[in-house]
Amino acid sequence: MEIWRIRGGNPLCGSVRVQGAKNSVLPIMAASILIPCRTELINCPNVRDVRASMDILRCLGCTVEQDGDVIHIDSRTLCRSAVPDALMRRMRSSFTFLGSILARCGEAALTRPGGCELGERPIDLHLEALGALGARFEETDGRIICRADKGLRGGHIHLRYPSVGATENAMIAACAAKGETVIANAATEPEIEDLQNFLRQLGAEITGAGTSVIQIRGISPVERVGFRIMPDRIAGATLLCAAACTGGEIELRGAVKEHLAPVTHALRAMGCRLREGSSAITISAKRALHSAPLIETGPNPAFPTDAQPLLMAVALRAAGTSAFIENVFSDRFHHAEEFRRLGAEICIEGRTALVTGVRELYGATVVAADLRAGAALLLAGLSARGTTTVLDEGHIGRGYEALDIQLRSLGAELEILHEMR
Ligand code: UD1
């Protein structure tokens, strides 16, 4: 258990660099085993989910070394095709190893993945996509055994919903398939483009990522790959929202403005001043904010569900009523219930949350139910009067590298106390 103790009220000011993207490096680490080769990944965030991926790679027989923000993976020694349940449960993204192990070994044995509790998170789209490439599945005693006895063959995959994880699994597996694969209604999130860029370095012939149709025509293996992971748009959104919540002014270095457009658009509409350059975004929230425009989450290019709790933290003290509609996950308002303990006025009905800005929030003890909910509670604590304590069973460290140090460098008063259990 990590206990974050925050003394709120300081406007955050200064300059910070955004970390590498967790949601990009995880599928790329899984893809690194597609062919026997050596991979060097630069700009990797040192977060718990990345360490979980390193453990899965080692368990499969790969050699993995971490040197600062660089991860070296040697997949030539891979010798296993099964991942134990304890490793699978550590994060949702463990399931992206299904496509890559199947592609490399012709079989894979996994269990259902863990990850944030945001409502039902089925894996049917992943299985359907791989099934269209000739994979067969059996689920017994909690183990999913997947085989492609005659090898994977290219095919037409139509995703019923543009799932990020299913698109990634399909892209990776299709590289090893014979013949051409077309993925229709694919997810278009920026991390999908980063995965395509990595797969091209690995020798894959793949086009279309960033649009809803992706074509893959196989792979001409290489021996070595070097790749730089894109900046983390959700970690970037967290810092922009932290400045907005506290009436601060920050420069966010390394952020890609296009990736953050839905968030910067909403912050601007609330009264923040933003300047978006090619290498940095600056935000100033020196004047009082007003309510957000309607925030309706959805697949890219709609407002990202991961930033919904963060923007809600900004709305807590903004004048007027802000409406949030969560369309991606069925149960993603845990943070809203905790915000109420800080004095927030929120009415939840089904997938809609109405937030009416209050003049002040007051410090209290709150519980982080998932990764982004945890970050959002930190933001609310930073803008509340008095001391807020956020109890966190390790969620925040799954996705943020040294967030406490980063926030302190901007003037926040906070510390993490570790409680042994
Ligand atoms: C990824 C991100 C996560 C983000 C989410 C949506 C990573 C590691 N995680 O998660 O941070 O919140 O995209 O942008 O990149 N679904 C099905 N069947 C499936 C798969 C998904 O019904 O087989 C549903 C899910 O329950 C959910 C929706 O599709 O309601 C979106 O899920 P998906 O896009 O797959 O998200 P993840 O890849 O799990």
Side-chain angles (χ1 to χ4, degrees):
M1 164 85 85
E2 280 152 13
I3 301 167
W4 292 66
R5 189 145 296 155
I6 304 156
R7 274 163 297 278
N10 295 357
L12 298 197
C13 294
S15 175
V16 272
R17 169 163 286 281
V18 68
Q19 68 182 51
K22 167 183 90 74
N23 287 356
S24 170
V25 72
L26 297 176
I28 286 175
M29 288 174 82
S32 73
I33 64 165
L34 246 181
I35 53 167
C37 76
R38 280 184 287 174
T39 300
E40 185 182 272
L41 300 176
I42 302 159
N43 200 32
C44 301
N46 187 0
V47 297
R48 206 164 285 142
D49 277 7
V50 168
R51 294 193 290 276
S53 271
M54 289 168 52
D55 288 343
I56 293 178
L57 287 167
R58 289 192 182 109
C59 168
L60 294 171
C62 302
T63 309
V64 187
E65 273 159 30
Q66 191 179 20
D67 180 9
D69 74 345
V70 182
I71 295 178
H72 302 270
I73 302 164
D74 187 343
S75 74
R76 291 172 304 176
T77 48
L78 182 134
C79 56
R80 274 182 287 277
S81 60
V83 181
D85 188 49
L87 285 180
M88 287 301 295
R89 281 181 190 272
R90 279 169 62 183
M91 58 174 178
R92 171 82 180 171
S93 213
S94 54
F95 210 63
T96 319
F97 276 92
L98 179 63
S100 61
I101 298 175
L102 183 67
R104 173 82 180 265
C105 307
E107 59 175 24
L110 275 65
T111 63
R112 286 181 181 256
C116 285
E117 302 285 343
L118 309 173
E120 219 190 320
R121 295 184 82 172
I123 50 171
D124 54 335
L125 298 171
H126 298 249
L127 302 186
E128 279 174 33
L130 298 177
L133 302 179
R136 292 290 161 262
F137 304 93
E138 236 176 78
E139 191 168 2
T140 38
D141 299 333
R143 269 197 107 54
I144 300 169
I145 315 284
C146 180
R147 283 201 184 85
D149 292 334
K150 294 183 193 144
L152 293 169
R153 50 173 159 71
H156 187 87
I157 298 170
H158 181 91
L159 292 171
R160 284 180 285 116
Y161 180 93
S163 150
V164 174
T167 302
E168 291 165 345
N169 246 329
M171 287 166 78
I172 295 170
C175 289
K178 259 204 194 96
E180 182 174 321
T181 297
V182 175
I183 307 172
N185 198 28
T188 63
E189 271 69 4
E191 292 77 14
I192 300 286
E193 266 186 271
D194 220 31
L195 176 61
Q196 168 173 282
N197 292 338
F198 173 75
L199 291 170
R200 282 182 175 163
Q201 294 292 311
L202 211 56
E205 209 184 309
I206 173 168
T207 52
T211 76
S212 57
V213 181
I214 301 175
Q215 295 98 1
I216 303 117
R217 286 179 212 87
I219 192 161
S220 314
V222 297
E223 287 176 4
R224 280 190 106 104
V225 188
F227 189 78
R228 185 176 185 84
I229 301 296
M230 64 178 253
D232 193 314
R233 60 195 171 106
I234 306 301
T238 306
L239 293 162
L240 293 178
C241 289
C245 273
T246 58
E249 188 167 63
I250 69 164
E251 176 193 50
L252 185 63
R253 286 178 283 119
V256 180
K257 62 179 177 194
E258 291 80 9
H259 294 177
L260 279 155
V263 175
T264 50
H265 172 82
L267 288 171
R268 194 173 270 127
M270 294 174 84
C272 298
R273 291 217 174 99
L274 284 123
R275 251 198 350 260
E276 295 154 86
S278 55
S279 59
I281 298 176
T282 55
I283 180 169
S284 170
K286 293 284 183 201
R287 45 187 184 172
L289 301 183
H290 45 84
S291 56
L294 172 67
I295 300 295
E296 206 172 338
T297 69
N300 192 57
F303 194 89
T305 173
D306 289 352
Q308 176 261 104
L310 308 168
L311 199 80
M312 195 183 287
V314 182
L316 299 178
R317 286 174 55 225
T321 298
S322 305
F324 293 80
I325 303 177
E326 174 54 54
N327 287 319
V328 179
F329 292 108
S330 58
D331 190 13
R332 194 165 201 177
F333 286 137
H334 297 296
H335 47 285
E337 285 149 29
E338 297 299 296
F339 284 156
R340 286 190 185 129
R341 294 175 191 261
L342 303 173
E345 221 175 277
I346 306 182
C347 172
I348 301 172
E349 223 181 282
R351 287 177 177 267
T352 303
L354 296 177
V355 179
T356 302
V358 293
R359 285 182 71 83
E360 273 191 310
L361 298 170
Y362 300 94
T365 296
V366 288
V367 176
D370 63 71
L371 165 57
R372 304 304 169 186
L377 288 169
L378 298 182
L379 304 193
L382 288 170
S383 75
R385 253 172 67 156
T387 301
T388 296
T389 303
V390 179
L391 306 178
D392 175 30
E393 296 274 7
H395 296 292
I396 297 170
R398 285 191 36 227
Y400 293 95
E401 173 175 347
L403 184 57
D404 54 329
I405 296 172
Q406 218 167 24
L407 292 171
R408 268 200 301 272
S409 79
L410 296 172
E413 256 185 85
L414 56 80
E415 60 199 336
I416 303 179
L417 315 169
H418 290 271
E419 187 185 88
M420 302 304 286
R421 282 159 39 99

